[in-house]
Amino acid sequence: GNYNTAIGFQANVGTGSGTISYSTAIGSNATVTESDAIVLGNSTLINGITPPPKVGIGTPAPRSNLEISSPVASTFAAPGPILTLSNSSASTPNAVAIDFDPASPAGTLPSARIEATGQSTGASLGFYANSNGSGSGGTLNQTMYIDPSGNVQISGSLYVTGEVEKGSGTFKIDDPIDPANKYLSHSFVE
């Protein structure tokens, strides 16, 4: 391969699917086996297990695989720390997503996804679950959707163990005298 970097004791570029280029392995025993990839930390089995690497940004002692910390006081207007996913494509709308795979993925689809789709006029947020559970087949089904105005759509049942409060609302029912052709609309304010 070409343009690869390995930093650390026995860090290397392995043999993956063909020639590997533009990749980096950082850390003791780190191995990268995919082009255009960066691997941080040990990826070699030690005593039958792979110790998970920990990456800390703004902290000297990360408590999980990725911990981002900020010493700056945060507010709603200026939260911190912030994790930003962006898409600079010229097409609109654009989308960014976080995929979840609780088991080893067997295919290209995740077990679940949170996706933000939008453009300069606003963004929507979609929540998806794989009908097959793992990534081997199945489809990603949208289970919840929040539009740019804050309207929420849920596909499936909603279970609430606490209270649901609403300031006002409307509902429509069939007219009891002529249900096939008329409706009764009701509005209320609490």
Side-chain angles (χ1 to χ4, degrees):
N2 297 307
Y3 309 105
N4 296 309
T5 306
I7 302 170
F9 177 72
Q10 293 185 348
N12 68 59
V13 176
T15 56
S17 53
T19 302
I20 298 172
S21 299
Y22 305 101
S23 292
T24 301
I26 300 173
S28 176
N29 293 305
T31 302
V32 61
T33 59
E34 196 67 37
S35 288
D36 298 302
I38 297 174
V39 171
L40 301 174
N42 185 358
S43 53
T44 305
L45 289 175
I46 297 175
N47 296 327
I49 62 168
T50 303
K54 294 180 180 179
V55 176
I57 299 173
T59 177
R63 296 170 287 181
S64 59
N65 295 80
L66 174 62
E67 181 177 349
I68 303 171
S69 181
S70 173
V72 179
S74 62
T75 64
F76 179 77
I82 296 175
L83 175 63
T84 302
L85 303 178
S86 62
N87 184 333
S88 60
S89 169
S91 66
T92 57
N94 283 329
V96 294
I98 299 173
D99 287 350
F100 299 90
D101 280 310
S104 296
T108 57
L109 288 177
S111 295
R113 171 178 288 166
I114 300 173
E115 178 179 278
T117 304
Q119 51 197 3
S120 61
T121 57
S124 62
L125 196 59
F127 295 80
Y128 299 83
N130 191 324
S131 61
N132 205 30
S134 69
S136 60
T139 57
L140 280 177
N141 298 310
Q142 189 175 73
T143 56
M144 188 168 78
Y145 174 80
I146 304 172
D147 73 14
S149 299
N151 299 312
V152 178
Q153 175 185 343
I154 296 174
S155 304
S157 299
L158 173 65
Y159 298 96
V160 178
T161 58
E163 295 181 11
V164 176
E165 296 185 23
K166 182 176 183 187
S168 64
T170 61
F171 61 92
K172 184 167 63 171
I173 62 172
D174 291 333
D175 185 311
I177 297 171
D178 189 4
N181 298 309
K182 294 183 181 178
Y183 297 103
L184 292 177
S185 296
H186 299 274
S187 297
F188 62 91
V189 176
E190 292 183 5

